[in-house]
């Protein structure tokens, strides 16, 4: 453990020991955050569910929490580094991290006004299998770590004023995931309190998917619940507010609700001159829904929604609000890099910001439900979503994965996804699975697909079903031409994993089929996008992946191999990062992202440099990888050696200059938008220009940076809320005397913080630098590193200092406000 993190942890433990760990709640609040002051123990322990259990020696922490990203308690040279262990059961799959069993405990005291309330605990996510006890009584088991769950706790609770003990056991054991999942209660926990006559957000669906001319038709469905034994006469009130907060509709309706009964209710109304939700203008309306009984308001919920239309057909493709739109998509796992699986709101929002800033307009949630706040951020910022629920059905991909629960739990889990997520305008498709083994098996595949699609149609008829279908490498007796039709026949929209070569053949056989690349690799980006660009039945492409993620270590590696050597699929120790993202763990663009900018017409020209391969070796790029190139003209010690310079452009011709000398002019190939030059290295400026006729137009250049002279700190925001759900991401860059980032600079840093917050993670974007991961003394990687700062709950300033030997100290302050 880094000494600074150890010291911070000790201070944190001391400060928590002075606090009461019992939560007393206000009788008036409907939804109370339960994240603070849980006691935690990592390991197996007997009787921890009992109220009498002595947990005084347990660690105190806030959730969301993820123990698999924390330094292991015993560090053994050559065996462990921080959270990574050579003894990890998951190995490269889970990024060399450790799971196990964890326990959380918390006390809750109800108030006198809660006597007649309906009480439930809501867990947004705990990985993996979770058991919950209230006062020693088992109240819940949840099988799937990505599925949120709610528990009616009334029958387990003590009278107001008497403490209630909540005990949670979370198990993440065996080979249960193909990627880093994390361990523990990694998303928010809430206490929900309602009167006996109440509403439920998950019962409420605001369908605003029909627009004709200058009006939108909105269909609102909800259910009124009555826990009284006798019938209740209530009044439902609905108010719709515009994106600017003006009321555009209101209605009140009397409803009779039978004793201990539920009454469904539907309203249909029009909104004139609607402001449509889109990726460029993500306008959000708000439905305020309340119920009154005996002249008093008994419950109220607020549901944001967007008015927009979606259509899919082979002749026009995907239409958003009647206009064709190609999906510039990226797949995304749920983790937050240096934070592990911890789903703090700002971390979830930042992922969406990074995708939007780098040209993506769509995300495929691979291969499980994202957090609630991630979807809220997609709604707010305008990112289209494929919501996906399963990575396997009945057949396993790993021995202890979800397949063992699928038959019993899949309908429940699918239903939870639909009920929780259907109000998000960002969601355009429901995916029933990824690379499912049984996809074309007869009759199993069709039986399961039909069942899952029937569940979709029960809760939402406004969005199509889809799945990500792969080649039959796992069914050698099947062929794509003869057998793939069975995998697609029940889907509304067909997802193709890495099968772009089949698009045109399949279109000839199935001209009404709507297709998209549900997964593709960066080095085949041009082939994919050229086909999508010209064919309306191809609606988009989702690269694997948009952002780097933990686990599947080294999936995108590139090696120099001697004759007879072979490249593995994954990389072993010390690799922990898949490395296939367009964006690295620090949020910085990788070379493949600059190339994608050319394909998507976001950039006119870019260039990157590939150093020579060692004598007697060849470059081997793993399927998900990218060639060993950098946006750098810093190659000290390589003077006179031939570098390959790749110029990326849609211009028919490009020119390359070195220190104002013309190296040459070449045509770009229309299938790759690339022109490559062989250039002996000398320091200076390397410049590429587009050529139109005889005129040079857009240009891009790389300059040799000098020696380190200073450190620059740049915060993504200078003011953040005094709330632990908010964060500041501070980029660290090492600069030369002219203010240029030094792309080959790897130097150790020292990070210190003070004031109204602390550093919760820091590190760099490297795939294999374990010692820098979550360290306060990381090295820079390609001249950069990052610090993630979390405020406490007080107004003021957080002070951050970064130093390196021989360089001036760099300082930055971040203001926190309530």
């Amino acid at each position: 453990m880094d000494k600074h993190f150890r010291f911070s942890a000790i201070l944190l433990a001391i400060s928590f020991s002075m606090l009461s760990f019992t939560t007393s709640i206000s009788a008036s609040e409907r939804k109370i955050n339960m994240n603070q002051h849980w006691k935690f123990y990592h390991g197996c322990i007997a009787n921890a569910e009992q109220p009498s259990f002595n947990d005084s020696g347990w660690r105190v922490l806030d959730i969301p929490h993820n123990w698999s990203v924390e330094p292991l308690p015993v560090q053994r040279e050559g065996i462990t580094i921080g959270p990574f262990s050579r003894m990890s059961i998951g190995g490269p799959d889970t990024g060399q991290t450790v799971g196990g069993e964890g326990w959380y405990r918390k006390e809750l005291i109800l108030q006198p006004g809660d006597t007649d309330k309906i009480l439930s605990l809501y867990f947004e996510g705990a990985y993996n299998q979770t058991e919950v006890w209230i006062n020693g009584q088992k109240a819940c088991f949840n099988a799937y770590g990505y599925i949120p769950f709610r528990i009616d706790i009334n029958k387990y609770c003590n009278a107001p004023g008497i403490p209630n003990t909540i005990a949670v056991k979370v198990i993440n054991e065996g080979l249960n995931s193909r990627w880093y999942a994390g361990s523990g209660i990694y998303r928010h926990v809430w206490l929900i309190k309602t009167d006996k006559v109440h509403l439920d957000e998950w019962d409420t669906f605001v369908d605003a998917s029909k627009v004709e001319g200058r009006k939108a038709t909105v269909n609102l469905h909800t259910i009124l619940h009555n826990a009284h034994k006798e019938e209740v006469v209530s009044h439902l009130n609905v108010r719709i507010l515009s994106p600017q907060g003006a009321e555009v509709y209101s209605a009140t309706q009397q409803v009779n609700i039978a004793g201990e009964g539920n009454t469904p209710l539907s309203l249909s109304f029009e909104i004139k001159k609607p402001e449509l939700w889109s990726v460029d203008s993500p306008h959000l309306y708000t439905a305020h829904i309340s119920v009154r009984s005996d002249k008093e308001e008994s419950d109220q919920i607020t549901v944001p929604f967007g008015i927009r239309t979606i259509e899919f057909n082979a002749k026009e493709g995907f239409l958003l609000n009647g206009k064709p739109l190609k999906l510039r998509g990226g797949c995304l796992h749920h983790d937050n890099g240096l934070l592990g699986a911890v789903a703090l709101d700002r971390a979830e929002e930042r992922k969406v910001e990074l995708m939007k800033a780098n040209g993506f307009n769509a995300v495929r949630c691979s291969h499980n439900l994202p957090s609630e706040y991630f979807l809220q951020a997609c709604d707010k910022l305008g990112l289209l979503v494929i919501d996906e629920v399963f990575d396997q059905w009945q057949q396993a991909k790993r021995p202890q994965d979800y397949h063992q629960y699928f038959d019993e739990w899949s309908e429940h889990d699918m239903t939870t996804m639909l009920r929780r997520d259907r109000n998000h305008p960002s969601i355009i498709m429901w995916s029933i699975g990824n690379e499912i083994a049984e996809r074309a098996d007869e009759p199993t595949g069709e039986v399961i697909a039909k069942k899952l699609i029937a569940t979709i149609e029960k809760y939402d008829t406004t969005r199509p079903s889809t799945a990500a279908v792969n080649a039959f490498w796992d069914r050698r007796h099947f062929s794509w031409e003869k057998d793939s039709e069975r995998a697609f026949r029940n889907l509304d929209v067909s997802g193709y994993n890495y099968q772009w070569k089949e698009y045109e053949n399949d279109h000839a056989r199935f001209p009404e089929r709507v297709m998209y690349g549900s997964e593709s690799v960066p080095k085949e980006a041009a082939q994919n996008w050229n086909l999508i660009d010209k064919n309306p039945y191809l609606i988009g492409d989702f690269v694997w992946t948009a952002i780097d993620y933990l686990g599947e270590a080294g999936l995108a590696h590139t090696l120099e191999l001697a004759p007879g050597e072979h490249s593995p699929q994954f990389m072993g120790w010390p690799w922990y990062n898949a490395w296939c993202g367009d964006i690295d763990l620090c949020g910085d663009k990788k070379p493949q992202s600059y190339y994608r900018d050319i394909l998507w017409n976001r950039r006119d020209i870019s260039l990157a440099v590939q150093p020579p391969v060692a004598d007697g070796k060849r470059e081997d790029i793993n399927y998900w990888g990218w060639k060993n190139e950098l946006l750098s003209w810093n190659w000290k010690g390589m003077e006179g050696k031939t570098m390959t310079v790749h110029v990326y452009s849609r211009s028919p011709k490009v020119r390359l200059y070195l220190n104002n000398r013309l190296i040459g002019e070449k045509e770009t190939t229309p299938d790759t938008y690339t022109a490559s030059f062989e250039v002996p290295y000398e320091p200076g400026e390397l410049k590429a220009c587009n050529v139109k006729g005889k005129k040079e137009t857009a240009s891009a250049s790389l300059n040799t940076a000098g020696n380190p002279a200073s450190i620059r700190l740049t915060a993504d925001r200078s003011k953040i809320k005094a709330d632990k759900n908010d964060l500041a991401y501070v980029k660290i860059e090492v600069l030369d005397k002219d203010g240029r980032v030094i792309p080959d600079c790897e130097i150790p840093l020292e990070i210190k913080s003070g004031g109204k917050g602390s550093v919760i993670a820091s590190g760099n974007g490297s795939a294999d630098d374990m010692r820098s991961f979550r360290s306060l003394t990381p090295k820079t990687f390609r001249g950069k590193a990052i610090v993630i700062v979390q405020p406490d709950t007080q107004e003021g300033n957080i002070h951050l200092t970064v130093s390196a030997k021989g360089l001036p100290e760099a300082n930055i302050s971040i203001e926190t406000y309530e």
Side-chain angles (χ1 to χ4, degrees), residues 327-333 355 358 360 362-367 496-498 516-526 528-529 532 540-547 549 580-583 592-593 595-596 599-600 623-626:
L327 301 179
R328 301 193 305 269
C331 298
L332 199 66
H333 273 312
M355 292 190 70
N358 285 280
F360 294 96
V363 61
R364 173 173 168 240
C365 300
S366 311
H367 306 289
Y496 283 58
N497 276 16
Y498 313 110
Y516 67 99
S518 39
E519 286 180 30
S520 66
V521 294
K523 64 183 180 181
E524 294 176 350
N528 274 279
W529 199 251
I532 289 159
D541 176 63
F542 290 76
V543 66
W544 192 267
T545 55
I547 303 175
Y549 60 96
C580 48
D582 273 25
I583 306 162
Q592 66 203 51
S593 181
Y595 178 62
R596 198 174 310 282
L599 301 182
W600 288 348
Y623 183 60
W624 289 266
W626 188 256

Side-chain angles (χ1 to χ4, degrees), residues 92 229 263 293 305 314 378 387 413-414 423 470 477 493 600 625 633 660 703 722 727 743 754 772:
K229 292 186 180 297
T263 299
S293 301
F305 68 96
C378 291
D387 208 357
D413 294 344
M414 188 101 189
N423 286 307
N470 59 306
H477 56 293
V493 181
W600 288 348
W633 197 236
N660 295 318
N703 290 274
L727 302 169
S772 291

Side-chain angles (χ1 to χ4, degrees), residues 25-99:
I25 59 173
S26 164
S28 62
E29 294 180 87
R30 186 183 196 275
K31 189 175 181 180
I32 299 101
N33 185 280
M34 294 282 286
N35 286 351
Q36 289 190 323
H37 303 159
W38 288 75
K39 291 190 173 183
F40 172 71
Y41 178 83
H42 183 199
C44 300
I45 194 164
N47 302 315
E49 74 279 8
Q50 296 302 320
S52 59
F53 181 86
N54 182 1
D55 59 14
S56 61
W58 286 18
R59 176 182 166 198
V60 180
L61 49 76
D62 293 345
I63 54 176
H65 171 244
N66 169 212
W67 77 71
S68 287
V69 81
E70 297 178 338
L72 294 164
V74 178
Q75 295 286 308
R76 297 173 58 193
E77 187 66 32
I79 302 296
T80 56
I81 300 175
F84 307 109
S85 172
R86 290 184 184 272
M87 308 302 289
S88 166
I89 294 173
D93 274 356
T94 58
Q96 319 293 348
T97 58
V98 176

Side-chain angles (χ1 to χ4, degrees), residues 683-705:
E685 182 187 43
L686 189 68
K687 181 179 178 181
C689 300
N690 284 339
V691 179
K692 185 176 182 180
K694 295 184 179 181
K695 184 179 179 182
E696 293 181 356
T697 56
S699 66
S701 61
L702 301 172
N703 290 274
T704 305

Side-chain angles (χ1 to χ4, degrees), residues 73 84 114 125 127 145 194 200 271 274 436 457 499 502 511 561 585 633 644 663 687 689:
F84 307 109
D114 296 323
Y127 197 90
T194 65
D200 185 333
I271 295 178
I436 300 299
E457 293 171 348
Q499 293 298 295
E502 303 293 346
L561 302 179
L585 291 185
W633 197 236
T644 302
I663 298 298
K687 181 179 178 181
C689 300

Side-chain angles (χ1 to χ4, degrees), residues 10 58 64 84 113 122 170 173 335 360 430-431 521 526 594 700 726 810:
I10 292 170
W58 286 18
F84 307 109
Y122 174 35
V170 186
E173 293 183 338
D335 75 76
F360 294 96
W430 303 113
S431 175
V521 294
Y594 287 87
D726 208 351

